[in-house]
Amino acid sequence: MTPLHTAVTPAHVKTPATLLCFSHLCLFSRCSGPRVKSCFLSCVPLLSWMPRYPFRENIFADLVSGISVGIMHLPQGMAYALLAAVPPVFGLYSSFYPVLIYFIFGSSNHISVGTYSVMSVMIGGVTERLAPDSDFMILNNDTIDTINETINDTINDTFNDTILDTAIRDIERVKIAAAVTFLSGIFQLLLGLVQFGFVVTYLSEPLVRGYTTAASIHVIVSQLKYIFGINPHRYSGPLSLIYVLCSLLDQTNIGTLVVSIVTIVGLILAKEVNSFLVQKLPVPIPVELLAIIIATLVSWQVDLKTVYGVQTVGEIPSGLQAPVMPEFSIMRSIIGDAFAMAVVGYGIDISLGRIFALKYGYKVDSNQELVALGLSNMIGGFFQCFAISCSMSRSMVQISTGGKSQVAGAVSAMVILFILLKIGELFQDLPKAVLAGIIYVNLHGMMKQFGDIPALWRKNKVDMLVWLMTLILTILLNPDLGLAASIAFSMFTVIQIPGVLIFRSSATLYFANAELYTEHLYDKTGVDVPKLLSHKKKLEAKRQRKDKKEAQKAKKEAKKRAKKMIHRDYGDAGVDVLLSGCQTCVIEILEKGDFFSDKLTKMILFSSVHDAVLHCQAKYSMISTCTQHVHTHTHTHTHTHTQITQTHISNCSLASYF
């Protein structure tokens, strides 16, 4: 962002960059035991919170929550492996190794990391582009037998009787998925080490929701072959989604289609019953687990694969595999894909992490989240996992079942470990159509995001335009290029107004997070309130010593309310704080709490951000006109900034962008 004010720094004065480097040198040169310990604990949060973990109070809730989330990992891990175009067992690996790494290095207490649909479809785009089916077509036995007959017959059968070598293809695709996962982890780790967590600032809420909606459409199209039992030709690059839809074959496997319809309808009905009984049940009914168990038993009894030609999961090896070095030879061709995955995975993670952190009154370190995700993906790449992020559905289950910390995540990883070692091979007869049906039903939440369009039309047409353009660009250009184009477009919609900074927080504001709200406001505005106050007090002390007692008295009274504290600090520092978009109930609460006074009137309230900005511009114009006629000989000037705070206090989710 363009700085509000620019000043020329004398040659003998250290610049901020020089001071930063100097402070780091001093830190390393005067490294003491407590500082080393503090730095180490900040890098490994587990060592900080685990010794203080209230075992008796939280262990039962975390165990129940972890088992519930682990049960969800089983069907989702296998289903999202289909999106990544790798065998289902690798989805289970991705639900085990990265979860353990995040348990050690993550800073959020409530998110559930692991396989995620958007990340999986991005992986699938890379694997199918670099290892298409056409590269693994081989002659079947009948074609080989015809070689002893005529040359013409051999030529004809070569084109007509080729089969797909799925074993070799899957091995190659697993290598590609592991390599791009490893590289995306490297990007995330490096960005975290250089304190690049602010990159999520460029991912506004309309952009993220439009992007995930478009990605879900890619997911739907990619699973059509499993829903209908068809095998359309795979296209890659821009407009690939349109080509796939246009090339769908007319022939449909009736058995596969019936399995898909029964699965989707059954899951929808079961989830409705689940939501109806949510207040009466201690834990949600694991409908997805029941679906894959029932489908596996039916497939085994009826022999759907042989009788009706329904594709099944196939062999699921038991146990864990040894680590394998990633394929470094292909990394040059996947740099762009890996960076896009790194940014998208982190953006989804930190967005959910901040929502839960504000709700439950703790802090999430954005840079530490980059490090945690980077290590999870990087180490997961050695164990042939594919890129992970956090899942809203699993996170909500973790919270609703009483999860208090990442101990629940570690328990869920142990559930997956038990499945891999003992019962994974029992699901070999599970139809792939059931996994595709699970994916479709889980996407209903993202499909509801189309309701953002009329809501944004009423509130902010620029945000609606960002949402729509992100959707269109991501659909047409694929998730990787679509993300870059969407970010570029959204940045063109940003309007910089000198002297005005808008801070918005739609999170519920109450006693547990009031201090966090204030800290975030100070941090995002970039205004060092204590320094400004100190500087101004020194100037005013020479002229008005009597006002100092009144200021101290006002300071004590202002500590009663978080909002009054903000107005006091910024007001004393020469910064006006305005409120816009407050609901009627919010204003009533402020009135009952004696928020307004003779000095702090309702003149600070505005119906919209636009009205507040116009007020600021008019005030600036008036101040600049008056100051043109004032001459002074002092070299120190006090500048006036304006801070607009848009706050919705009741029952809203977090959406911070500025």
Side-chain angles (χ1 to χ4, degrees):
M1 295 180 62
T2 305
L4 298 179
H5 296 279
T6 304
V8 179
T9 305
H12 65 279
V13 178
K14 292 183 175 67
T15 63
T18 306
L19 292 174
L20 181 62
C21 296
F22 180 74
S23 64
H24 279 286
L25 289 174
C26 292
L27 177 63
F28 285 107
S29 62
R30 296 179 296 175
C31 195
S32 60
R35 285 184 177 177
V36 172
K37 180 180 178 181
S38 176
C39 181
F40 185 71
L41 292 179
S42 65
C43 295
V44 188
L46 175 67
L47 301 179
S48 177
W49 63 264
M50 197 60 176
R52 298 180 283 106
Y53 178 73
F55 188 85
R56 292 184 178 179
E57 292 83 356
N58 292 354
I59 188 61
F60 179 75
D62 281 337
L63 281 174
V64 173
S65 177
I67 293 173
S68 302
V69 174
I71 290 173
M72 288 188 68
H73 269 300
L74 172 61
Q76 289 190 3
M78 298 175 70
Y80 292 155
L82 297 184
L83 294 178
V86 296
V89 68
F90 293 95
L92 299 182
Y93 295 153
S94 302
S95 301
F96 173 65
Y97 293 106
V99 175
L100 284 181
I101 302 301
Y102 186 85
F103 165 69
I104 299 172
F105 295 98
S107 63
S108 175
N109 296 338
H110 295 92
I111 65 173
S112 172
V113 298
T115 56
Y116 183 60
S117 58
V118 175
M119 302 298 296
S120 299
V121 77
M122 294 178 73
I123 290 284
V126 179
T127 55
E128 293 185 336
R129 185 184 77 236
L130 298 182
D133 290 344
S134 58
D135 290 353
F136 302 94
M137 303 301 295
I138 60 174
L139 302 179
N140 62 18
N141 293 330
D142 294 337
T143 303
I144 296 176
D145 292 338
T146 59
I147 294 179
N148 295 327
E149 298 179 3
T150 63
I151 298 177
N152 292 334
D153 291 338
T154 303
I155 295 175
N156 292 334
D157 289 338
T158 300
F159 289 99
N160 297 328
D161 295 330
T162 57
I163 59 175
L164 176 64
D165 190 344
T166 56
I168 302 299
R169 181 203 63 183
D170 290 344
I171 292 174
E172 189 64 26
R173 287 183 174 179
V174 168
K175 292 180 181 179
I176 296 171
V180 72
T181 297
F182 175 82
L183 189 56
S184 68
I186 292 292
F187 279 130
Q188 289 173 328
L189 183 60
L190 292 177
L191 292 175
L193 292 177
V194 299
Q195 307 290 296
F196 206 65
F198 68 88
V199 70
V200 76
T201 302
Y202 298 101
L203 301 178
S204 64
E205 184 186 20
L207 188 147
V208 171
R209 292 177 68 86
Y211 180 81
T212 53
T213 304
S216 65
I217 295 176
H218 280 279
V219 171
I220 291 173
V221 174
S222 69
Q223 296 303 290
L224 287 176
K225 58 183 179 182
Y226 298 115
I227 293 292
F228 292 95
I230 58 180
N231 190 23
H233 181 70
R234 173 71 185 183
Y235 294 90
S236 60
L239 303 180
S240 61
L241 187 67
I242 308 300
Y243 292 142
V244 171
L245 289 173
C246 295
S247 65
L248 291 179
L249 302 179
D250 295 330
Q251 297 179 352
T252 298
N253 186 302
I254 301 300
T256 303
L257 183 60
V258 170
V259 172
S260 303
I261 294 175
V262 171
T263 301
I264 293 174
V265 173
L267 284 174
I268 292 175
L269 294 177
K271 285 182 177 289
E272 290 298 324
V273 173
N274 220 359
S275 60
F276 178 75
L277 299 176
V278 66
Q279 301 295 336
K280 301 179 181 179
L281 298 175
V283 294
I285 300 174
V287 293
E288 295 169 342
L289 178 64
L290 294 177
I292 65 173
I293 292 176
I294 295 172
T296 302
L297 292 174
V298 172
S299 176
W300 173 61
Q301 287 290 331
V302 182
D303 195 5
L304 293 177
K305 181 179 180 180
T306 304
V307 178
Y308 298 100
V310 177
Q311 293 185 13
T312 58
V313 168
E315 182 182 1
I316 299 179
S318 60
L320 302 176
Q321 294 186 349
V324 179
M325 288 296 293
E327 289 286 335
F328 294 100
S329 59
I330 65 174
M331 288 190 179
R332 180 177 299 179
S333 60
I334 58 176
I335 291 178
D337 301 290
F339 186 79
M341 292 177 198
V343 174
V344 172
Y346 169 66
I348 296 170
D349 174 278
I350 197 64
S351 298
L352 286 179
R354 285 177 173 175
I355 290 174
F356 298 134
L358 273 177
K359 183 176 182 180
Y360 293 100
Y362 63 92
K363 266 191 172 183
V364 171
D365 189 336
S366 59
N367 294 303
Q368 182 61 31
E369 285 298 293
L370 269 173
V371 172
L373 285 180
L375 289 173
S376 299
N377 283 323
M378 187 178 69
I379 297 176
F382 285 104
F383 292 94
Q384 298 181 320
C385 303
F386 53 84
I388 57 98
S389 185
C390 65
S391 165
M392 170 64 85
S393 60
R394 291 197 305 269
S395 299
M396 294 306 298
V397 168
Q398 181 167 319
I399 292 174
S400 63
T401 52
K404 305 295 183 181
S405 68
Q406 279 301 323
V407 171
V411 173
S412 70
M414 294 301 103
V415 173
I416 295 299
L417 178 62
F418 174 76
I419 293 171
L420 286 170
L421 296 178
K422 298 297 182 181
I423 64 174
E425 58 186 10
L426 299 179
F427 296 100
Q428 294 182 3
D429 292 321
L430 175 64
K432 290 184 178 180
V434 174
L435 297 178
I438 291 174
I439 293 173
Y440 274 25
V441 174
N442 284 335
L443 290 176
H444 77 284
M446 291 189 180
M447 292 296 99
K448 289 181 179 180
Q449 292 180 163
F450 278 104
D452 292 349
I453 298 177
L456 291 175
W457 172 263
R458 294 189 297 268
K459 295 180 180 178
N460 192 319
K461 293 181 175 57
V462 175
D463 284 348
M464 186 203 68
L465 182 62
V466 171
W467 196 102
L468 287 175
M469 288 303 300
T470 301
L471 177 78
I472 295 171
L473 291 172
T474 306
I475 289 177
L476 297 181
L477 302 180
N478 282 354
D480 48 359
L481 294 178
L483 176 65
S486 301
I487 292 177
F489 177 81
S490 65
M491 293 183 70
F492 281 113
T493 64
V494 176
I495 301 175
Q496 298 290 342
I497 303 176
V500 178
L501 188 63
I502 301 172
F503 177 85
R504 178 186 178 189
S505 173
S506 298
T508 302
L509 180 61
Y510 60 107
F511 71 94
N513 66 359
E515 184 177 353
L516 286 176
Y517 178 91
T518 307
E519 291 178 0
H520 277 81
L521 179 60
Y522 289 168
D523 179 58
K524 298 303 180 183
T525 56
V527 179
D528 194 336
V529 175
K531 287 187 177 180
L532 288 176
L533 289 175
S534 176
H535 179 66
K536 187 172 183 179
K537 285 180 180 179
K538 288 181 180 179
L539 295 178
E540 293 181 349
K542 298 178 181 179
R543 297 172 296 181
Q544 298 178 347
R545 295 187 179 275
K546 294 182 180 181
D547 294 341
K548 186 176 181 180
K549 295 181 180 180
E550 297 178 1
Q552 290 176 347
K553 183 179 179 180
K555 183 177 180 180
K556 294 179 181 179
E557 294 176 353
K559 287 183 179 179
K560 297 179 181 179
R561 298 277 193 278
K563 284 291 185 183
K564 283 194 174 183
M565 181 177 64
I566 294 170
H567 278 271
R568 180 207 70 206
D569 290 347
Y570 280 99
D572 289 349
V575 181
D576 295 329
V577 181
L578 310 178
L579 303 179
S580 67
C582 292
Q583 301 175 6
T584 304
C585 59
V586 175
I587 298 176
E588 292 176 354
I589 293 174
L590 294 178
E591 290 175 340
K592 293 178 181 178
D594 296 328
F595 176 79
F596 300 106
S597 62
D598 295 338
K599 295 183 179 180
L600 187 61
T601 66
K602 290 186 179 181
M603 296 296 292
I604 65 169
L605 298 177
F606 293 88
S607 60
S608 66
V609 174
H610 181 67
D611 293 336
V613 171
L614 292 178
H615 171 79
C616 296
Q617 290 178 317
K619 184 174 180 179
Y620 276 134
S621 177
M622 184 182 302
I623 293 175
S624 60
T625 302
C626 295
T627 54
Q628 289 178 358
H629 303 285
V630 178
H631 302 278
T632 178
H633 298 287
T634 180
H635 295 285
T636 305
H637 302 276
T638 301
H639 297 282
T640 301
H641 308 274
T642 301
Q643 174 69 30
I644 302 174
T645 303
Q646 181 175 359
T647 308
H648 303 278
I649 296 183
S650 56
N651 299 326
C652 294
S653 61
L654 176 65
S656 298
Y657 48 91
F658 8 97

